[in-house]
Amino acid sequence: MSYVADPSASDGEFNRDTDYITTRITADGRDGYAVEPGRYRLVVARACPWANRTIIVRRLLGLEDAISIGFCGPTHDERSWTFDLDPDGRDPVLGIHFLRDAYNKRIPDYPKGVTVPAIVDIPTGEVVTNDFAQITLDFSTEWTAYHRDGAPQLYPDPLRDEIDEVAQRIYTEVNNGVYRCGFAGSQQAYEKAYDRLFTALDWLSERLENQRYLVGDTITEADVRLFTTLARFDPVYHGHFKTNRSKLSEMPVLWAYARDLFQTPGFGDTTDFVQIKQHYYLVHTDINPTGVVPKGPDLSNWLSPHGREALGGRPFGDGTAPGPTREGERVPEAHSAG
């Protein structure tokens, strides 16, 4: 996750830096990094919506034994994400305090923002990729030999074109749309971004009114990509980013849809509301210079009945739900809903 406002944009519009390290880990190793259990470490921060996607997909597919995971703390400075949650502030596998060290191992004096998620090659200590959109697709398509029994098809071949189309609109208008509102440098840019965001949310409400999931009758990559933004909407985006036409809890279809996913193993149990609020309200000092983290909102309503079962659909298709979250990877109970 990085935030780059384009100073040359005369209208104050926010532009995201999308120049990622795009090396892929594949079954045939064509980029020099072959799929190999135990070789790679997924570095994430629970606060980050882009990283949260990878946590969800890794859990749904059962890749815990194949790809280890390291958690950064919820805050960072201009230099790097850090492993504040680990003893001595060092990742126990990589042995580093700053994620930037792994970036510099791959590209000396790495000139760009250090982002999560990132996958690190453990033997060399080098970042392989931080291309968050491709990482989850490759988990579904390149790591199939290490999926758990009963793993769902999150990117089924017959639906890929439609998933890609829906996911692209979600990315440009919703995932990135909230940032376009929050980091707008002018009233004009903000109002334009605001209108675009809620136009897309209205479109999603219409799409989901009579179908349980975004594409087909099972959970797919598209649902994962939308969920992480919806989960942050009321705790952060509504106030902090001024996306305040409506709270998520005031948009009936999307609110029920989000609760349906939240109550599905792999979604709510990977969502840390405390870290989410700490990240946005403490890191974005230009937006929130006091560093005050809001106490609300009440999150217990995430566990209320959603009624979406009436629309049919099978969350995991012919597969099964993942088992309990692994020890050491659980969100603290006080950080979740309930």
Side-chain angles (χ1 to χ4, degrees), residues 12-32:
E13 186 168 329
F14 166 77
N15 291 304
R16 180 176 297 278
D17 182 353
T18 57
D19 186 13
Y20 299 106
I21 301 172
T22 56
T23 315
R24 292 175 61 190
I25 300 168
T26 57
D28 62 8
R30 57 185 177 273
D31 284 359

Side-chain angles (χ1 to χ4, degrees), residues 27-50:
D28 62 8
R30 57 185 177 273
D31 284 359
Y33 295 94
V35 166
E36 183 181 330
R39 177 177 171 180
Y40 304 101
R41 188 157 177 83
L42 173 64
V43 178
V44 298
R46 292 194 188 278
C48 171
W50 322 102

Side-chain angles (χ1 to χ4, degrees), residues 169-200:
R169 187 169 180 184
I170 289 171
Y171 170 73
T172 59
E173 304 304 299
V174 180
N175 300 147
N176 199 44
V178 292
Y179 289 89
R180 199 180 290 114
C181 291
F183 289 101
S186 71
Q187 188 70 32
Q188 177 185 3
Y190 163 70
E191 292 187 9
K192 179 181 176 183
Y194 177 101
D195 290 342
R196 282 181 63 177
L197 171 64
F198 282 99
T199 295

